[in-house]
Amino acid sequence: MKLQRKNRLRAAALGAIAVSGALVLTACGSDDNSSTGGSGDKSSAASNSNIKCDGAKSQLRASGSSAQKNAMDLWQNAYNAACKSANINYKSSSSGEGIIAFNGGTVGFAGSDSALKPEEVADSKKICKTGQGINLPMVGGPIAIGFHLENVDSLTLDAPTLAKIFDTKIKKWNDPAIAKLNAGVKLPDLAIQPFHRSEDSGTTQNLGKYLSATAPDAWKYEPEKKWPAPGGQAASGSAGVAAQVKQTNGAIGYFELSYASSQSISTVKINTGASAPVEATSENASKAIAAAKIKGTGKDLALGLDYTTKADGAYPIVLVTYEVVCDTGNKADTLGTVKSFLTYTASDEGQKVLSGAGYAPIPTEINAKVRETIAGLS
């Protein structure tokens, strides 16, 4: 019976990957035994996976971060296959659009690569009624710096050089600053074409936080969701930036590792001052995220990340995607589905699918608090 359940869910996961272009991997249901209450389609859950469908009885709309799109494709496909009484429909757009939709009351939860700002928390109280919006860290991972240089497969940059490239202060690939970091690499006399996000993006903001923390003399901009520097070219979403880098010789851009992996885009190694330049991998991002501390108060679990780490093997350009929900005052018709779905994504099995898809699971101690908070949503 267990083998049959695994085979069915494996087929569901592969279906999601075919749609999203994510990496091929298997997905399993949650082994979390907690109950969210209410009456769900338990027979469907039992026949498809170990995902708990208790209380899940409606279509749930969600939207936001494109950074977690490939993870969300896997999660919602597995969940929808297990819970016939519910349906998760996540629209991948941007962190900014997700927060607007959440505070407008049109989605049950939002995905955001940056924690809510104080003014956004204040706005959320109109929707959450008796509570407010909180941040639940659910997906971690590296922000890969993808590049396209014909006949160049390996490239190392440090923070000041990267800042000057995205600020269009360094304009040629054979610039002495780049050459110094890449001894023995034949760099072309070719114009650099930097690409950035066109819409408000948590990925943009996290890259800005890294550059501000590690290269303050070269990057003078405040880390905001809107791209701050002049010059360069804009594209919509992580998928749009990745597509432009893929097809443009001389291009460089930033996006989540899953986009680079699925499209075979080369990524930059970062010279952090550690014993060796650090590659953008799930494992290396996990080393950096493991040092994160909770900076939120109460039920809010916003994290503080150390972008200046010099630990060996710790990739410093990381982000954490939050699922933004009401702590109390959730809509009665969607509360059960929200709790059921997020219980699965935060479960051991839900988190296990992340590494193979280019993401990093949330550290165990922090994830334990996420599960506790989800169980208490009302």
Side-chain angles (χ1 to χ4, degrees):
M1 183 63 71
K2 290 183 178 179
L3 181 60
Q4 291 176 342
R5 289 199 298 264
K6 289 181 179 178
N7 286 340
R8 278 190 286 269
L9 194 50
R10 181 178 292 113
L14 291 174
I17 297 165
V19 173
S20 67
L23 299 179
V24 176
L25 45 99
T26 60
C28 300
S30 169
D31 58 1
D32 192 321
N33 292 321
S34 63
S35 173
T36 58
S39 58
D41 190 344
K42 297 179 182 178
S43 61
S44 294
S47 64
N48 286 282
S49 72
N50 291 325
I51 295 173
K52 299 296 183 182
C53 305
D54 300 356
K57 55 184 179 181
S58 63
Q59 176 167 318
L60 178 65
R61 296 179 60 197
S63 69
S65 165
S66 64
Q68 67 173 352
K69 178 187 183 299
N70 292 336
M72 192 61 71
D73 282 346
L74 292 171
W75 282 337
Q76 68 181 358
N77 188 272
Y79 184 86
N80 290 342
C83 300
K84 303 300 183 183
S85 58
N87 183 270
I88 308 298
N89 183 3
Y90 182 83
K91 177 185 177 184
S92 172
S93 52
S94 69
S95 298
E97 291 176 41
I99 297 302
I100 290 173
F102 179 77
N103 282 342
T106 61
V107 295
F109 70 88
S112 177
D113 306 325
S114 293
L116 292 167
K117 295 180 179 179
E119 59 269 27
E120 292 170 336
V121 173
D123 285 344
S124 73
K125 293 179 180 180
K126 302 172 186 176
I127 297 301
C128 298
K129 304 299 183 183
T130 59
Q132 65 181 44
I134 57 172
N135 304 282
L136 300 178
M138 197 67 69
V139 182
I143 300 174
I145 307 299
F147 71 96
H148 179 175
L149 280 177
E150 293 181 4
N151 302 317
V152 176
D153 298 322
S154 179
L155 186 71
T156 296
L157 297 174
D158 59 14
T161 306
L162 188 63
K164 292 173 185 176
I165 288 173
F166 278 119
D167 199 20
T168 63
K169 296 294 193 294
I170 292 179
K171 300 181 182 297
K172 288 289 190 75
W173 278 111
N174 62 349
D175 186 278
I178 301 177
K180 184 178 179 180
L181 293 164
N182 294 274
V185 177
K186 187 175 181 180
L187 297 166
D189 182 13
L190 180 69
I192 298 174
Q193 298 194 53
F195 285 88
H196 58 264
R197 293 280 290 272
S198 60
E199 72 286 0
D200 285 3
S201 160
T203 309
T204 294
Q205 188 172 40
N206 279 279
L207 175 63
K209 289 178 179 178
Y210 165 75
L211 295 175
S212 295
T214 55
D217 292 337
W219 190 257
K220 302 293 187 179
Y221 309 100
E222 290 295 321
E224 299 290 345
K225 292 179 181 177
K226 185 176 181 61
W227 181 256
Q233 301 176 63
S236 178
S238 292
V241 175
Q244 290 298 323
V245 172
K246 174 76 173 178
Q247 68 186 20
T248 307
N249 187 30
I252 187 170
Y254 58 94
F255 31 80
E256 294 66 44
L257 181 61
S258 59
Y259 291 92
S261 301
S262 63
Q263 299 187 52
S264 300
I265 297 173
S266 298
T267 60
V268 170
K269 295 177 182 178
I270 302 298
N271 184 339
T272 64
S275 61
V278 186
E279 187 177 355
T281 67
S282 297
E283 294 77 13
N284 292 344
S286 292
K287 293 178 182 178
I289 295 173
K293 304 295 183 184
I294 294 175
K295 65 178 183 179
T297 58
K299 295 181 180 180
D300 184 78
L301 300 179
L303 301 180
L305 300 170
D306 180 11
Y307 297 100
T308 64
T309 180
K310 294 182 180 180
D312 284 348
Y315 184 81
I317 316 177
V318 295
L319 60 74
V320 169
T321 297
Y322 301 95
E323 311 311 340
V324 177
V325 297
C326 295
D327 54 358
T328 64
N330 287 277
K331 294 179 180 178
D333 59 340
T334 57
L335 174 60
T337 310
V338 169
K339 293 178 70 172
S340 172
F341 179 66
L342 295 184
T343 293
Y344 161 57
T345 63
S347 71
D348 288 340
E349 304 306 327
Q351 289 289 298
K352 281 178 183 176
V353 306
L354 296 179
S355 295
Y359 298 101
I362 299 300
T364 302
E365 290 186 7
I366 295 172
N367 195 41
K369 295 182 179 180
V370 172
R371 297 184 196 183
E372 180 182 349
T373 302
I374 292 169
L377 297 179
S378 63

